[in-house]
Structure formats: structure tokens, C-alpha cells
Amino acid sequence: MESKPAIDGAHRSEPDFDVVVVGAGIGGLYAIHKLAQLGFSVRGLEMAPEVGGVWYHNQYPGARVDVESIDYCYYFSPELFQEWNWTERYASQPEILRYLNHVADRFDLRNKIEFGTRLVSAHWHSNSWHLTAANDVRLTCRFLVMATGNLSAARKPDFPGLDDFKGEWVQSSQWPREVRLKGRRVGLVGTGSSGIQCVPAIARVADHLIVFQRTANYSVPAQNSPVDDALIARIREDVPAARAYLLSTPVGTHMKIGSHMRDGRAAKSLREAEQLAELERAWQTGGHSMTSVFCDQNVDPEANEIVSSFVRNKVREAVKDPTVAAKLMPTSYPIGTRRLCVDIDYYETYNRSNVTLVDLADEPAVCLYENGLRTTKRDYEIDLLVFALGFEAFSGQLNQIDIRNDEGARLADSWTRGPQAYLGIAVADFPNLFVLTGPGSPAVLANLFIANEHHVDWVADLMTYMARHGHRTVTATQEAQQAWREHVNDLARPLLRFNTKNYMVHVNEDDQSRYYVPYVGGFDRYVRHCDRVAARGYPGFVFDKGLASETALNASPEDPTVGFTS
């Protein structure tokens, strides 16, 4: 391990590193590897004691990915793909963490990372980023790459009486290494993706599980199984070709789901029996197939209700108690307008005698008290309380860091009316700052592994371009960022999700203006657009702004919106 820099960057004329990468999860590991391979001096900062990102922290019972394992992995190295063998169609958290540790070891990345180092501030001046970490590490860099993830900052519990509760409480998103479940009465608050994965796993061990449901969510079976050996064999024949294929698909997976259904069949064009056959096929396929059974289900309320009703009927079939089943069936919003959950035996778990469902819509929570949780109807005694409350999406981790440009403007303040970044990668007026899978990118709607690979490669190409042309700084323009934001919003307006409360839509309270945060045009279209921006000399970016340089080039002579719709 290289020695930790004990440097006050303010006293150095040249930065300590070319690049600092913040985060050692999926994007961060690849960024460190790729940029070091290109000859840049790189340092990684990671607040956890190990690699893994969310897969280090999210060690709750039942945690697993909802993208197929053969896609949810790196494709940049054919050798890596050849040597790793997944055991399940949807890998569990321990297996994913083993994989990320294997990657860190195989490419010798640990000696480039400062672990246990939480970035507190990043200030741009003198053409460098000046960084300070909580453990008093100080260093400077020319480029700052934020690989902090868009679903990594946990929502903290804010329940009245939390300090009065004498039992133990934990968060699914920051699960401790040792939590005893056996023989205990466990309460769980939150039935989003993490909560729905927790329920069956906890119920198998705990003496009793009480699920406090705030909002009923649609969930579909993973239909988990061993990996498809035949498909893996085909991919291994030509991994680069498989990588190129993923970059050309709507969601970056081999499973044909997502935006490709823009060319699919409308529900109304099918007879009822045909609709049912398609729905059943998607249900048996499992995973996110249910999000794109019909090409019109995400824009047409009547088509959506056909799918929603089918899933509610499946809940009714799975849960023996009709009263419990009714509470578990979402009726207040269309399917797909909030995150669709993928589960293993979630609904069936409510048939167990040691599981109780408490619908907080029917009996609202009042407070926590010494021995448990009190609702308007009764007290529920609990030994262990699990909060599965989700994340501060997109901006959570970034807003916790004091990031300022040379005028002293804070990144968090520039995002008060919704997080935004040109191409989902660069924030206007913040030089040499790149956000992997940021707001305006398709990342949360696509496979995060290939999305991170694409982002890192694109940023690396831009840095290489700058080195070749003698540029020291690059900044996205406000005009390009705003044009991209409007384009992203225009693509989302027809969606039912656009007018439904969910984490992908930012709503400003003063005027109720709505901004859709991720790009919904399809990962394939996004990749093509980014390629065009690079090929045209990076319109929407300015190089060496404010620097006296004969090689300075304003690279935004073209309309940055060119090609958005193609």
C-alpha cells in the first residue's frame, strides 16, 4: 500500500494526482483500473473499510440483485468473464461482494485506494481540486470523478420516540455484521425493494415478524434458478461482441425488456386470451419482464390496468387470507410508476403463522415506545426493529460533500430545483468534475455495470482528448445542461410515472414544476448520443475557460441539442 499523502494541496503548484476517484463500488473500481491503465496517476477514496460500495453496506438478509448475474458484471476484460462462474440467475449479496473483491485483487486495485476515508469537501481553485477527508487526509487532483452511486445515501429513520425505544434497531442499507434474528420479535418498517427481500429471509429465522407496511408495492417473482450455462458459453466465445451488444440494447441486458417494447404490441391490439397469455409468459419468465409486456402499458392507463390487475390477481392467489391479500394489493398507483420489486416467495411468506402484516394506512403509526411501536389501534412489542426506508436518490451522497467551484458556489445549492448534469456526467460551472451514472443518465433504468463501464470509458476518452490537445480544464455549459435537462423531461412527459409520486421525479414545492431525473430514451440511444458528442469535438463543453492558452478551444460551436431525438 502506498503511503497516505500527508499533503496540504494549497502549498503545491502541481496536483498530487491526475485523478481522484471517490467510491470503490462498481463504477469506482473500473474507473481506477481504466484511468491507471491509460497512464494517469490515480487515487481512490472509499469511506468503507473494504471495496463493494452498496454491496458492502447492503448485507441485509435476502439481499440480491434484480438484474441477471450474467449481465450484472464487468465486460471490459474477456479474461475476467472467462474465469468467474456465477451460481444463480440472480446473484445474492455475498456472491456479488466476493466478485468485486476478486476484481480488486485481480487488477491490483487496493494499493490505489484509501479505505476508511470519507470525503468532506472538494474546492476548486488554482486549476485543481483541493480535497479534505474526515480522517484529515488532504490532497489535490486535476480531475475529480464521483463514483458514489445514485442509490447509496440511506434515508435515516425519523420516528417520534426513537430515542425511547429500548430494543435494537438497524437499517437495511447499513446492515451490521452481526445481527441476531433467531428467537426474537422483529418489526420491519418499509416494503420497498429492500424490505420485500428482507421479509422472507427474516421470517424463516425470527420467532415472529411484524411487517409495518406504509405503501403496498407491486412485486413480481424473480423465478430464480441456476445460471444459463448455454448462454454463458455463447458469451465466452466472443466477450467483446457481447459487450457491444449490451451497449446497443435499451437497458444493457441480454433479457429483452425495456424500451425495445416501443416496437412491441399494444395491449388493445390483442384479444383478452392473447393478453393473458403474454402476461403469464412474462410472469413465468420472472424479473423485470412484467415492466414491458405491452408497448403501451407505461403510457396508457387502460393498458396499464390490464397488467396491474393481473399482478393483483396473482397476489390474491398466493395469499390465503383474503383480508391480508387485499392489504398487499396496490390500488393507488399504476404498475411500473414506482420501482417494481423482484422477490422470492414474498407474498407466500404471509401464509406463515409467525408473520403479521400491519397496514399503516389503516392504523397509522403514532410513535415508538420503550418496548416497540404504537399505532392508533394498539401497541406492538418488538425486540429488533428494521428500517428499510430506501435512499436519497441521485444527489444524496454528493450533497453530503461540500463541493464548491472557484466562485464558491456549492454543488448542492445548484441542485435545489432538482439534480442535473449534462449527459448525466458533467455539472455546468464545475470544471474537471465528472459524476458517474448521474442525473440525466439512464443508469437507474439500465444495468449499472455496463452503464458504469460506458461512463468511465467516455470520461477517459475525454481526458485523453484533453491531454492530446493540451487542455487543462473542461466545463459543461449551462446552455447544454439546460437543453439536456429539457430533453430528458420531454421524453418522460408521456409516461404515467411522470405524474406519480416516485423517486425519479423531482417536484418543486413552490410551483409544482416536475423534473424527471433519469434519461428514459433507452440506454442504446443514450450511448449513440454520447458517441456523437465525442465525435463532434464535445459540443456543450468549454475547454480552458479563463486560462491564457494558445491551444484554448471553445468546443461548443454547435447546438448541443443536435441529435437528441435520433
Side-chain angles (χ1 to χ4, degrees):
M1 181 76 173
E2 297 177 20
S3 60
K4 183 180 297 185
I7 300 167
D8 183 351
H11 300 298
R12 292 288 299 271
S13 59
E14 288 297 318
D16 306 319
F17 298 97
D18 294 324
V19 191
V20 166
V21 177
V22 182
I26 296 168
L29 289 177
Y30 180 55
I32 293 167
H33 169 70
K34 174 77 175 185
L35 295 168
Q37 195 176 46
L38 290 173
F40 293 99
S41 60
V42 184
R43 172 66 76 190
L45 302 181
E46 169 56 53
M47 63 181 178
E50 260 298 346
V51 302
V54 294
W55 293 111
Y56 173 84
H57 294 289
N58 284 234
Q59 299 196 24
Y60 59 82
R64 67 177 63 242
V65 69
D66 57 2
V67 175
E68 299 205 36
S69 305
I70 56 171
D71 296 326
Y72 200 72
C73 57
Y74 294 115
Y75 272 74
F76 70 87
S77 167
E79 295 77 17
L80 174 63
F81 196 94
Q82 298 284 352
E83 68 195 23
W84 185 267
N85 296 304
W86 295 102
T87 63
E88 295 181 275
R89 181 183 174 192
Y90 295 99
S92 65
Q93 178 273 335
E95 189 169 15
I96 297 170
L97 189 58
R98 286 196 301 272
Y99 173 73
L100 292 172
N101 274 278
H102 170 74
V103 171
D105 292 334
R106 192 190 191 287
F107 296 102
D108 195 23
L109 302 179
R110 296 183 196 276
N111 65 358
K112 298 179 178 66
I113 304 170
E114 293 283 350
F115 292 104
T117 303
R118 179 174 62 84
L119 183 62
V120 174
S121 67
H123 295 174
W124 173 263
H125 59 87
S126 303
N127 300 318
S128 298
W129 283 104
H130 295 245
L131 313 180
T132 302
N135 54 355
D136 206 33
V137 168
R138 296 173 183 269
L139 50 90
T140 59
C141 59
R142 180 153 293 148
F143 298 99
L144 182 59
V145 177
M146 303 302 296
T148 49
N150 41 49
L151 293 176
S152 56
R155 286 199 185 107
K156 296 181 180 179
D158 184 22
F159 270 65
L162 183 59
D163 292 339
D164 298 326
F165 179 55
K166 300 303 182 184
E168 180 183 5
W169 66 267
V170 298
Q171 292 178 264
S172 62
S173 52
Q174 307 222 326
W175 196 264
R177 296 297 162 266
E178 297 292 333
V179 178
R180 182 171 62 85
L181 298 172
K182 188 174 182 179
R184 304 179 82 178
R185 286 180 63 84
V186 180
L188 184 145
V189 178
T191 52
S193 184
S194 298
I196 281 174
Q197 288 187 338
C198 276
V199 165
I202 293 176
R204 287 192 293 269
V205 181
D207 181 62
H208 198 92
L209 172 63
I210 306 170
V211 180
F212 297 96
Q213 175 183 273
R214 298 182 299 171
T215 304
N217 275 299
Y218 290 97
S219 189
V220 298
Q223 305 293 9
N224 198 26
S225 64
V227 293
D228 186 339
D229 291 332
L231 178 55
I232 289 178
R234 289 199 300 273
I235 294 172
R236 284 175 171 168
E237 290 175 2
D238 193 342
V239 176
R243 187 178 193 265
Y245 172 77
L246 293 179
L247 288 166
S248 72
T249 62
V251 291
T253 69
H254 284 86
M255 180 183 283
K256 296 184 180 300
I257 59 174
S259 301
H260 83 285
M261 291 306 294
R262 56 188 170 231
D263 303 318
R265 293 193 293 177
K268 292 178 180 178
S269 71
L270 304 174
R271 296 189 299 273
E272 186 176 348
E274 293 174 314
Q275 293 172 352
L276 185 60
E278 288 297 306
L279 289 161
E280 190 61 40
R281 175 198 57 76
W283 186 265
Q284 295 304 326
T285 299
H288 286 287
S289 296
M290 198 57 63
T291 61
S292 53
V293 184
F294 309 116
C295 68
D296 55 348
Q297 72 180 69
N298 294 317
V299 295
D300 183 341
E302 292 183 12
N304 186 283
E305 179 55 28
I306 294 170
V307 184
S308 299
S309 179
F310 176 85
V311 174
R312 288 194 290 266
N313 283 334
K314 288 292 187 180
V315 177
R316 191 175 290 111
E317 293 174 5
V319 181
K320 295 177 181 177
D321 186 329
T323 303
V324 175
K327 292 178 180 179
L328 289 167
M329 290 187 284
T331 57
S332 60
Y333 63 94
I335 191 170
T337 58
R338 301 178 68 166
R339 182 177 180 180
L340 182 67
C341 303
V342 176
D343 72 85
I344 298 176
D345 296 331
Y346 173 65
Y347 293 116
E348 291 80 0
T349 297
Y350 289 96
N351 296 324
R352 298 177 62 106
S353 60
N354 70 328
V355 176
T356 299
L357 176 66
V358 177
D359 185 1
L360 295 180
D362 177 57
E363 49 178 301
V366 174
C367 65
L368 291 167
Y369 70 104
E370 183 176 18
N371 297 320
L373 190 148
R374 177 170 297 140
T375 71
T376 54
K377 292 187 176 180
R378 57 164 291 186
D379 290 352
Y380 294 90
E381 291 190 3
I382 299 167
D383 303 315
L384 170 67
L385 184 57
V386 177
F387 290 106
L389 304 178
F391 302 91
E392 300 291 347
F394 304 109
S395 59
Q397 289 286 10
L398 293 168
N399 282 351
Q400 292 176 16
I401 303 168
D402 182 25
I403 302 174
R404 297 176 185 262
N405 63 17
D406 54 354
E407 295 180 353
R410 295 177 66 245
L411 177 67
D413 293 339
S414 73
W415 283 0
T416 55
R417 298 191 69 79
Q420 55 183 316
Y422 180 42
L423 305 179
I425 295 175
V427 182
D429 298 331
F430 285 81
N432 292 11
L433 173 68
F434 301 108
V435 181
L436 302 185
T437 65
S441 82
V444 295
L445 300 171
N447 171 9
L448 279 171
F449 264 90
I450 195 66
N452 271 289
E453 283 194 33
H454 169 265
H455 275 48
V456 170
D457 287 348
W458 197 88
V459 169
D461 288 345
L462 174 55
M463 290 183 186
T464 302
Y465 174 91
M466 292 175 65
R468 187 182 306 124
H469 290 82
H471 300 312
R472 298 190 65 182
T473 68
V474 61
T475 312
T477 68
Q478 284 287 352
E479 294 78 11
Q481 180 171 276
Q482 183 60 27
W484 183 254
R485 185 186 198 186
E486 291 174 1
H487 170 61
V488 171
N489 222 36
D490 288 344
L491 287 174
R493 286 185 197 281
L495 299 178
L496 298 175
R497 185 191 281 258
F498 186 81
N499 290 305
T500 303
K501 183 180 179 181
N502 69 93
Y503 77 92
M504 294 188 189
V505 180
H506 177 88
V507 181
N508 291 306
E509 294 184 3
D510 57 352
D511 60 2
Q512 292 301 298
S513 56
R514 308 178 76 85
Y515 291 99
Y516 203 84
V517 181
Y519 178 87
V520 299
F523 182 55
D524 50 347
R525 290 179 175 176
Y526 171 81
V527 168
R528 290 197 299 271
H529 182 75
C530 289
D531 289 346
R532 284 193 295 272
V533 170
R536 293 172 179 171
Y538 300 97
F541 290 93
V542 174
F543 294 98
D544 297 332
K545 182 179 180 181
L547 294 182
S549 171
E550 293 182 1
T551 60
L553 171 68
N554 185 330
S556 56
E558 302 177 51
D559 180 353
T561 65
V562 170
F564 278 7
T565 59
S566 60

